[in-house]
Amino acid sequence: MNNSTNPAQHTNTNDVTADLESEELQTQAEETAKQSLKEKYDIEVEITKSRVLPEHIANEVRLEGHVQGDDKQFFNITVNYETNETSNFSMSPELVEHLREKGYEPFDSKK
């Protein structure tokens, strides 16, 4: 009988801690993105995907989502988890049109 431990069944405490930290960063970034888009464009959004980038690349979480009730109005946004600042906001043509209909110019850097 082989007494070795199956690596797939072994949970490393560091992995669990890293997973919890990653989950906390994602939750914080999601709230930051939702609040930022609500304040800037008065839209309610749903986050559908998030990914914490490796620290050696950037201290950021990349998020994907869409306007509540319309998955054709989708976007990507990045949140720096150290400063809580958003950046790299890109959006579908449908979302651009929706924002313009509401009186916002999404590509105006002065706002």
Side-chain angles (χ1 to χ4, degrees):
M1 179 172 204
N2 185 349
N3 289 332
S4 66
T5 305
N6 181 346
Q9 293 176 338
H10 180 69
T11 302
N12 185 330
T13 304
N14 291 336
D15 291 342
V16 172
T17 302
D19 287 346
L20 289 174
E21 289 175 2
S22 176
E23 189 175 314
E24 289 173 7
L25 292 175
Q26 289 171 320
T27 300
Q28 173 188 331
E30 289 176 14
E31 291 306 313
T32 298
K34 287 178 181 181
Q35 181 179 352
S36 175
L37 295 173
K38 175 69 175 167
E39 289 174 4
K40 190 167 187 175
Y41 299 114
D42 192 29
I43 55 175
E44 298 285 339
V45 300
E46 294 179 37
I47 304 300
T48 56
K49 187 175 180 183
S50 63
R51 177 174 166 252
V52 178
L53 296 177
E55 284 185 33
H56 67 276
I57 294 176
N59 296 327
E60 297 178 337
V61 179
R62 291 210 175 146
L63 305 164
E64 296 177 18
H66 58 83
V67 173
Q68 285 183 355
D70 190 345
D71 60 1
K72 291 182 182 177
Q73 295 180 26
F74 60 88
F75 63 89
N76 296 304
I77 193 166
T78 304
V79 176
N80 181 307
Y81 56 76
E82 290 189 344
T83 64
N84 260 356
E85 294 177 344
T86 61
S87 61
N88 304 318
F89 181 49
S90 61
M91 62 201 104
S92 66
E94 292 83 0
L95 181 51
V96 171
E97 182 179 334
H98 175 73
L99 294 177
R100 287 181 173 155
E101 287 172 357
K102 291 180 71 161
Y104 297 99
E105 178 49 54
F107 301 110
D108 185 358
S109 62
K110 295 176 189 170
K111 290 186 179 182

